Amino acid sequence: VVSLLLAVIDDVKKPSSAIASFTFRHAFLERYLQRAKELLERVGLPDRTSHYPSQLSGGEQQRVAIARAFINSPPILFADEPTGNLDSTNGDNIVELLTSLNKESGSSLILITHNPDLAALSDREVRLKDGHIEAIVKHRRGGSKPARPGKSNHAMARGKAAPKRAKAAAKPAGKSAGR
């Protein structure tokens, strides 16, 4: 949620200001101010930089939050129900923004959602039930295919395929090859 006391431009550059305060403040602030303006342009809010949260719609506040999230080019970005409070048109716009900024930045985007349509847009889907992993689904162009049980979740989280296991290691313990 956008801070109630900050104008949009200040809110977007806030995470970078904390970093800049420890180093060469002026040069960093200028660079991050420019980056904040670029991101606000990218999310369609270049003319709203001096507005306050009460002057923005819910969709505009969500776009400010997305710009703020990408200001420091994070290697991983978590988006918890990014479309949950939006109508379908604004929700679609937010998804498009998140995915395009994600591709441009090269960061890993982890979406947390109850929306199966949104989950289906991902490369991989981890389905949880009662706090446990129920299934891991790899989404492909032609549909989705459940991943093999026992694949390394860690490798999948990094966006790489799990290494192939040797056939001998895949045999159940206690059974000989001749039986």
Side-chain angles (χ1 to χ4, degrees), residues 102-115:
N102 171 247
K103 287 177 185 174
E104 290 170 16
S105 71
S107 62
S108 295
L109 177 62
I110 298 175
L111 293 173
I112 296 93
T113 186
H114 291 93
N115 181 341

Side-chain angles (χ1 to χ4, degrees), residues 9-163:
I9 192 73
D10 296 321
D11 190 53
V12 171
K13 70 177 185 164
K14 183 172 39 173
S16 61
S17 297
I19 291 171
S21 65
F22 295 110
T23 55
F24 304 93
R25 188 165 178 80
H26 182 71
F28 275 104
L29 287 178
E30 286 299 316
R31 188 171 89 202
Y32 282 113
L33 178 60
Q34 182 59 37
R35 174 85 171 130
K37 287 179 181 178
E38 289 170 6
L39 284 167
L40 287 170
E41 174 78 35
R42 183 68 179 83
V43 300
L45 296 172
D47 57 339
R48 308 286 273 173
T49 58
S50 61
H51 289 75
Y52 292 91
S54 62
Q55 299 169 318
L56 301 175
S57 70
E60 288 171 330
Q61 289 181 15
Q62 193 77 334
R63 287 185 279 161
V64 168
I66 290 170
R68 184 178 56 244
F70 280 99
I71 188 97
N72 288 325
S73 303
I76 300 173
L77 181 66
F78 292 87
D80 187 5
E81 295 288 359
T83 61
N85 294 329
L86 303 174
D87 60 61
S88 61
T89 302
N90 279 320
D92 291 345
N93 292 339
I94 293 300
V95 169
E96 186 177 320
L97 270 173
L98 273 172
T99 55
S100 64
L101 284 170
N102 171 247
K103 287 177 185 174
E104 290 170 16
S105 71
S107 62
S108 295
L109 177 62
I110 298 175
L111 293 173
I112 296 93
T113 186
H114 291 93
N115 181 341
D117 295 332
L118 181 57
L121 297 175
S122 65
D123 295 330
R124 290 175 190 88
E125 178 182 346
V126 178
R127 295 180 188 160
L128 301 176
K129 184 174 183 178
D130 298 328
H132 299 284
I133 295 175
E134 182 180 60
I136 298 173
V137 179
K138 281 187 174 182
H139 294 283
R140 299 178 185 206
R141 284 183 229 154
S144 61
K145 176 183 174 186
R148 287 189 335 239
K151 264 196 168 180
S152 167
N153 292 338
H154 180 67
M156 292 174 72
R158 289 192 320 254
K160 298 177 182 175

